[in-house]
Amino acid sequence: MRIVVTAFDPFGGQRVNPAQLAVAELPSRIAGADVVRFTVPTRFGAPLPDLKRADAVLCVGQAGGRAQLTPERVAINIDDASIPDNAGNQPTGTPIVENGPAAYFATLPVKAMVAAIRDAGLPAALSNTAGTFVCNHLMYRMLHATAGTATRAGFIHVPYAPEQGEPSLPVADITRGLVAAIEAIVAHPDGDLVSAEGATH
Amino acid sequence: MRIVVTAFDPFGGQRVNPAQLAVAELPSRIAGADVVRFTVPTRFGAPLPDLKRADAVLCVGQAGGRAQLTPERVAINIDDASIPDNAGNQPTGTPIVENGPAAYFATLPVKAMVAAIRDAGLPAALSNTAGTFVCNHLMYRMLHATAGTATRAGFIHVPYAPEQGEPSLPVADITRGLVAAIEAIVAHPDGDLVSAEGATH
Amino acid sequence: MRIVVTAFDPFGGQRVNPAQLAVAELPSRIAGADVVRFTVPTRFGAPLPDLKRADAVLCVGQAGGRAQLTPERVAINIDDASIPDNAGNQPTGTPIVENGPAAYFATLPVKAMVAAIRDAGLPAALSNTAGTFVCNHLMYRMLHATAGTATRAGFIHVPYAPEQGEPSLPVADITRGLVAAIEAIVAHPDGDLVSAEGATH
Amino acid sequence: MRIVVTAFDPFGGQRVNPAQLAVAELPSRIAGADVVRFTVPTRFGAPLPDLKRADAVLCVGQAGGRAQLTPERVAINIDDASIPDNAGNQPTGTPIVENGPAAYFATLPVKAMVAAIRDAGLPAALSNTAGTFVCNHLMYRMLHATAGTATRAGFIHVPYAPEQGEPSLPVADITRGLVAAIEAIVAHPDGDLVSAEGATH
């Protein structure tokens, strides 16, 4: 199995991106799968990494203010930026894919990923919004590009590193959480766990 | 113009529902529109109010933990309950409408509603998730029922009342915010404001 | 009864100070007491208002990040500023009063004030820290200046106004809360309620 | 050097206490100092551990809701419990030591401890309130018992373990943070760093 893992470069005035730092520490093989890493620039419309031979793609991004590793359930077809991206672009309400579906659900086993991260002794929760900035944009495009193919795709947001603000998680913990999530992707090639991971709002 | 406004009864062990308290105080006419109020039971699959003569429907729900009035941008096609509803049902990952679209965007002018609430001196933000409980369920079904019709639909979450916990907003303020939101619905019959109301995650 | 009420001017890059806005709207008589208002500059070592004929003094300050009106229980003898004051001074660990006591408890009926604000339908809680910036500084000096006299003194922190960030409370609500707090000061000239208003940490 | 480290047993309906779990993992020697561990029951008035031969005492407690390791600056002379302690007692506003000083400042180098925890890659901040429950109670009594002696004393609050709620920190991280704090206690036998670690409120 070949798993593509992407991370973004720093944005929004931060000097580091904990997703990038954590992905850089991932081993090249996890649970027998090859892990292929890419850094994606934090801007709307950046080229996607080559997914042709990928069995799965896991995109990783920073979520300042979150205290848990949060696999994302869904990506929505809208770019609405509260800050400019790293190229200075700030769309405020345009579709990512003209006439595309309003949303795509992740095709990764998000509940199994949450469970695996928790089993590794780390905080995790299923998120129902990836926002409307570059993270959601990338997740939507990955799911659009892989729709109808055998390649599964999804996104996970991670907390700040301690030097960035609170709440935070040490980067070594974030890396351990990503390893656990990737192990769950390998262990659940068809479908997901059934468990209560919903939110009242 | 005829605007249907719904609220839920209390749930999750709370004795009151601030949405219900605030909707009960709404006047029957706002900005020349007739306001017709319904209480909807907090359970999956409850019958929808009659929307036949409605030009718009605004559903209102409690979001404990939020500090602002938050019009919802999107509803997703999933029931995933972290707590049982008031009938004791707790679906954990079933579609609301079998083979329905993954999501519907609100057809109300959500950015104009946010702006109007702020102009009334109250805290507001656009939300990108209505959760996966009964609120999202109702919003999705309303948008499904009105898809392709002239009836616009959407949802707004409101903070706790002060007696419920923090953060909170006095019920009279919530009512004032709903009035402002309804005025925006009347004032923007076609389309919405263009403004940056996005979230990075 | 004569009650002095102070507020600070804006600081920390904010354009308004909700304490100042709310105090400006206070009536000149509350529950039969004369209310005398002062604006105090947000800097260490500013002159205190004249307290000679005051029966009580209530200082009011902004607490961005708090969601409730919070009477303060105690002031501590330390200036430790995370940002410069409005005169550019930033002490980092010096006593307010050399050889003064480590702390003074408020001599206002803080639990009765919390109860009165809640009875007015507004969110309130007793706080156990006024910080280590100019608010704590003023509270400590007021309590030091009135120690051993009949003049009671204390402090109340208030949330942001909605235009400043979240959580917030409309200024009219803050004013109503201050009126309720002052009514409690008048109604409890000797001692305070006995009630559980503690914090585990 | 001999350093006594205390932790509490679980309270408030929790099955674990992360302070207890983390202290249990501390080595018996840190930076050349002997580390002597005690578990203290979570109740008001419990006997203090024997401090006769201790050069320093560091008490450790759980602070659900905090996202950082937080050395405490000050303990105040009040018991005001929002929940019963483990013996069922709930004082609501009584002094810890009749006629004792209103507060004691920690005699440990709290700013050096914060800096050391951060240097270990973990989140830390100086706290200005230990609450009014058993944690503050123990800290005040430790400082009262050691006042005027060569024994230094203080307290550090730690976040939830991941299984308890969010925000949280893995217990191994909490242990690492405590080791760093103890190293700072050893390295700074006289006085503390001078640095800006204050709070505006």
Side-chain angles (χ1 to χ4, degrees):
Chain A
M1 194 180 291
R2 180 183 175 89
I3 301 182
V4 168
V5 181
T6 76
F8 290 105
D9 51 355
F11 67 93
Q14 297 285 336
R15 272 175 299 189
V16 299
N17 186 318
Q20 189 180 31
L21 298 177
V23 167
E25 298 300 319
L26 285 178
S28 57
R29 285 187 68 83
I30 296 175
D34 291 319
V35 173
V36 185
R37 295 168 299 185
F38 287 92
T39 294
V40 177
T42 303
R43 58 181 171 84
F44 293 100
L48 297 188
D50 182 3
L51 299 181
K52 269 179 202 143
R53 293 162 44 227
D55 297 288
V57 55
L58 175 63
C59 306
V60 190
Q62 162 191 303
R66 292 195 191 169
Q68 302 172 307
L69 283 86
T70 47
E72 295 291 348
R73 190 196 293 267
V74 67
I76 61 176
N77 189 16
I78 193 89
D79 287 336
D80 194 1
S82 55
I83 56 172
D85 71 11
N86 284 356
N89 293 316
Q90 188 175 5
T92 56
T94 50
I96 299 168
V97 174
E98 199 70 46
N99 300 316
Y104 284 107
F105 285 105
T107 47
L108 295 177
V110 288
K111 291 185 175 181
M113 292 159 68
V114 168
I117 299 167
R118 284 191 195 135
D119 286 348
L122 295 161
L126 187 53
S127 167
N128 296 304
T129 176
T132 57
F133 191 55
V134 177
C135 293
N136 173 75
H137 174 95
L138 179 64
M139 180 180 174
Y140 185 93
R141 286 175 63 206
M142 287 287 192
L143 286 162
H144 189 72
T146 58
T149 78
T151 305
R152 297 177 292 159
F155 199 100
I156 186 167
H157 266 115
V158 303
Y160 274 149
E163 68 202 81
Q164 294 181 281
E166 65 159 329
S168 68
L169 214 51
V171 170
D173 290 329
I174 297 174
T175 300
R176 278 204 302 127
L178 295 179
V179 169
I182 291 167
E183 288 169 346
I185 293 170
V186 174
H188 293 81
D190 309 299
D192 196 359
L193 297 183
V194 175
S195 58
E197 296 291 350
T200 53
H201 57 263
Chain B
M1 195 179 291
R2 180 183 175 89
I3 301 181
V4 168
V5 180
T6 77
F8 291 105
D9 50 356
F11 67 93
Q14 297 285 335
R15 274 176 297 191
V16 298
N17 186 318
Q20 189 180 30
L21 298 178
V23 167
E25 298 300 318
L26 285 177
S28 57
R29 284 187 70 83
I30 296 175
D34 291 318
V35 173
V36 185
R37 295 168 299 184
F38 287 92
T39 294
V40 177
T42 303
R43 58 182 171 82
F44 293 100
L48 297 187
D50 182 4
L51 299 180
K52 269 179 202 142
R53 293 162 45 226
D55 298 288
V57 54
L58 175 64
C59 306
V60 190
Q62 163 191 304
R66 292 195 191 169
Q68 302 173 308
L69 284 86
T70 48
E72 296 290 349
R73 190 196 292 266
V74 67
I76 61 176
N77 189 16
I78 194 90
D79 287 335
D80 194 0
S82 53
I83 56 171
D85 71 10
N86 284 355
N89 293 316
Q90 189 176 4
T92 56
T94 50
I96 300 168
V97 174
E98 199 70 44
N99 300 316
Y104 283 108
F105 286 105
T107 47
L108 295 178
V110 289
K111 291 185 175 181
M113 292 160 67
V114 168
I117 299 167
R118 284 190 194 137
D119 286 347
L122 295 160
L126 187 54
S127 167
N128 296 305
T129 177
T132 57
F133 191 54
V134 176
C135 292
N136 173 74
H137 175 95
L138 179 65
M139 181 180 173
Y140 185 93
R141 286 174 63 206
M142 287 289 192
L143 287 161
H144 190 72
T146 58
T149 77
T151 305
R152 297 178 292 159
F155 199 100
I156 185 167
H157 267 116
V158 303
Y160 274 149
E163 67 202 81
Q164 295 181 279
E166 63 159 332
S168 68
L169 214 50
V171 170
D173 290 330
I174 298 175
T175 301
R176 278 205 302 129
L178 295 179
V179 169
I182 292 168
E183 288 169 346
I185 293 170
V186 174
H188 294 80
D190 310 300
D192 195 359
L193 296 183
V194 175
S195 57
E197 296 291 348
T200 53
H201 56 265
Chain C
M1 196 179 292
R2 180 184 176 89
I3 302 182
V4 167
V5 181
T6 76
F8 291 105
D9 50 357
F11 66 93
Q14 297 285 336
R15 271 174 300 190
V16 299
N17 186 318
Q20 189 179 32
L21 297 177
V23 167
E25 298 301 318
L26 286 178
S28 57
R29 284 187 69 84
I30 295 175
D34 290 318
V35 173
V36 185
R37 295 167 300 185
F38 287 91
T39 294
V40 177
T42 303
R43 59 181 170 83
F44 294 100
L48 297 188
D50 182 3
L51 299 181
K52 270 180 201 141
R53 292 164 42 228
D55 297 287
V57 54
L58 175 63
C59 306
V60 190
Q62 163 190 303
R66 293 195 191 169
Q68 302 173 306
L69 284 87
T70 47
E72 296 291 349
R73 190 196 291 267
V74 65
I76 61 176
N77 189 16
I78 194 91
D79 287 335
D80 193 0
S82 55
I83 55 172
D85 70 11
N86 284 357
N89 293 316
Q90 189 176 4
T92 56
T94 49
I96 300 168
V97 174
E98 200 70 46
N99 299 316
Y104 284 107
F105 286 105
T107 46
L108 295 178
V110 288
K111 291 185 175 180
M113 292 159 67
V114 168
I117 299 168
R118 284 191 194 136
D119 286 348
L122 295 161
L126 188 54
S127 167
N128 296 305
T129 176
T132 57
F133 191 55
V134 176
C135 293
N136 173 75
H137 174 95
L138 179 63
M139 182 180 172
Y140 185 93
R141 287 175 63 207
M142 286 289 192
L143 286 161
H144 189 73
T146 57
T149 77
T151 305
R152 296 178 292 157
F155 199 99
I156 185 166
H157 267 115
V158 302
Y160 274 150
E163 67 202 84
Q164 294 181 281
E166 63 159 331
S168 68
L169 214 50
V171 170
D173 290 330
I174 297 174
T175 300
R176 278 204 302 128
L178 295 179
V179 169
I182 292 166
E183 289 169 347
I185 293 169
V186 174
H188 294 80
D190 310 298
D192 195 359
L193 296 183
V194 175
S195 58
E197 296 291 348
T200 53
H201 56 266
Chain D
M1 195 178 293
R2 179 184 176 88
I3 301 182
V4 168
V5 181
T6 76
F8 290 105
D9 50 356
F11 66 93
Q14 297 285 337
R15 272 174 299 190
V16 299
N17 186 319
Q20 189 180 31
L21 298 177
V23 168
E25 299 299 319
L26 284 178
S28 58
R29 285 187 70 82
I30 295 175
D34 290 319
V35 173
V36 185
R37 294 167 301 185
F38 287 92
T39 294
V40 177
T42 304
R43 58 181 171 82
F44 293 101
L48 297 189
D50 182 3
L51 299 181
K52 271 180 201 140
R53 292 164 44 228
D55 297 289
V57 55
L58 174 63
C59 306
V60 190
Q62 162 191 302
R66 291 194 191 170
Q68 303 172 305
L69 284 87
T70 47
E72 296 291 348
R73 191 197 292 267
V74 66
I76 60 175
N77 188 16
I78 193 93
D79 287 335
D80 193 0
S82 54
I83 56 172
D85 70 12
N86 284 356
N89 293 316
Q90 188 176 4
T92 55
T94 49
I96 299 169
V97 174
E98 199 70 44
N99 299 317
Y104 284 106
F105 286 106
T107 47
L108 295 178
V110 289
K111 291 184 175 181
M113 292 159 67
V114 168
I117 299 168
R118 283 190 196 137
D119 285 349
L122 295 160
L126 187 54
S127 167
N128 296 305
T129 176
T132 57
F133 191 54
V134 176
C135 293
N136 173 74
H137 175 95
L138 179 64
M139 181 180 174
Y140 185 92
R141 286 176 62 206
M142 287 289 192
L143 286 161
H144 189 72
T146 57
T149 77
T151 305
R152 295 177 293 158
F155 199 100
I156 185 168
H157 267 115
V158 303
Y160 274 148
E163 68 203 81
Q164 294 181 280
E166 64 159 331
S168 68
L169 214 51
V171 170
D173 290 330
I174 297 175
T175 301
R176 278 205 302 128
L178 295 179
V179 169
I182 292 167
E183 289 170 346
I185 293 169
V186 175
H188 294 79
D190 309 300
D192 195 0
L193 297 183
V194 175
S195 57
E197 295 291 350
T200 52
H201 56 266

